Amino acid sequence: MGRLSSKNCLVTGAARGIGLAIGKALMREGANVAFVDVDAGVKGIVAGVAKEVAGAGIGRAIGVQADVTSRADIRRAIAETVSAFGSLDVMFNNAGINKPLNFMDVTEENWDQVVRVNALSVLLGCQEAARQMIAQGRGGKIVNTASVASRQGYPNMAPYSASKAAVISLTQAAARALAKQQITVNAFAPAVVLTPLWEQLDKDLVAIGTSKQPGEAIDMFSSTILVGRAARPEDITGTTTFLASADSDYITGQTIMVDGGKFLV
Ligand SMILES: NC(=O)c1ccc[n+]([C@@H]2O[C@H](COP(=O)([O-])OP(=O)(O)OC[C@H]3O[C@@H](n4cnc5c(N)ncnc54)[C@H](O)[C@@H]3O)[C@@H](O)[C@H]2O)c1
């Protein structure tokens, strides 16, 4: 019996990177997982995931294409999860993007794009997951992906920093709003995780003149991590599985730093 056997989970931004690792780790603990992503390729990854984590007691997986900035898409993803597995017990609002620009170059378009994907999606995801959990009548768990940029405003990522600060506020607001329905809402905040997001960010930071060559920005951001290296997605999943499990039942409204000690707050 895994820590999450018979739990039904939905993870957004799950076609790759941190979301994919979160989903696989949940399955290894027996959960059924809906991998949700705007990338249509998410449907294709599910067979591979099931094979990769194959073993006694692992859960089932489905792939759903959905855009987290659309309430209708989130509702459909939740409906497909419930139809496949019977309920929604844990919701991960993880999808996110970064489009760095130097502070004075930030446009309304850049702001709208980043804040819609990173912050509006968390509001919508919390609301729609909670609607389903309240209808089921036995509580649930919501876990949001914040960032070290939630607590630090970076001059070349102002909308990203603002959107991730909003993830902390939304986590606290939702925790207070949903406590009576036995729904806990928490967030986790990574620093540098080696995923396609960082590969692209590294290139974009060269393009806007923050760094001179590929790899320099990753090295610079990672140099103050106390454990001495950037994270792999698998370094994050001990915490995400904990936040999805009953072991975290007495924690709500919190943002847990999973940053190797980059910031001590
Ligand atoms: N990689 C890091 O260093 C790092 C650090 C702190 C926080 N984070 C956060 O972790 C989360 C995951 O990041 P990652 O590094 O795995 O990124 P990633 O780019 O590797 O994966 C993100 C996934 O989200 C999906 N996505 C993007 N927009 C979407 C939308 N509108 N609807 C549905 N899916 C969408 C993408 O298709 C992609 O599969 C993000 O919220 C990111 O801000 C990442």
Side-chain angles (χ1 to χ4, degrees), residues 66-207:
D67 180 345
V68 293
T69 65
S70 154
R71 189 185 290 278
D73 273 23
I74 294 176
R75 279 189 180 159
R76 179 174 48 76
I78 291 173
E80 286 189 34
T81 306
V82 172
S83 153
F85 305 142
S87 66
L88 175 68
D89 303 306
V90 184
M91 174 78 163
F92 278 89
N93 294 305
N94 168 73
I97 59 168
N98 196 352
K99 303 274 176 195
L101 284 175
N102 291 315
F103 184 80
M104 294 302 284
D105 297 330
V106 171
T107 59
E108 294 87 330
E109 190 193 4
N110 176 250
W111 170 271
D112 287 345
Q113 189 186 11
V114 172
V115 175
R116 273 182 79 79
V117 177
N118 294 358
L120 175 66
S121 70
V122 172
L123 172 69
L124 300 179
C126 287
Q127 288 176 322
E128 295 306 325
R131 236 183 276 290
Q132 176 63 32
M133 290 167 183
I134 291 166
Q136 292 166 185
R138 50 187 164 88
K141 286 175 173 287
I142 300 175
V143 184
N144 301 323
T145 303
S147 167
V148 290
S150 299
R151 301 192 190 274
Q152 308 286 322
Y154 289 96
N156 43 22
M157 310 177 189
Y160 184 80
S161 303
S163 71
K164 290 296 185 179
V167 173
I168 294 184
S169 311
L170 289 165
T171 299
Q172 294 174 349
R176 289 196 164 108
L178 301 170
K180 283 202 169 61
Q181 281 88 20
Q182 279 75 52
I183 297 169
T184 64
V185 188
N186 291 295
F188 63 95
V192 182
V193 189
L194 301 175
T195 66
L197 180 146
W198 243 108
E199 280 167 35
Q200 186 58 45
L201 183 56
D202 198 58
K203 288 181 197 149
D204 291 345
L205 289 172
V206 175

Side-chain angles (χ1 to χ4, degrees), residues 32-43:
N32 298 315
V33 178
F35 291 76
V36 176
D37 205 287
V38 73
D39 180 347
V42 73
K43 295 193 176 213

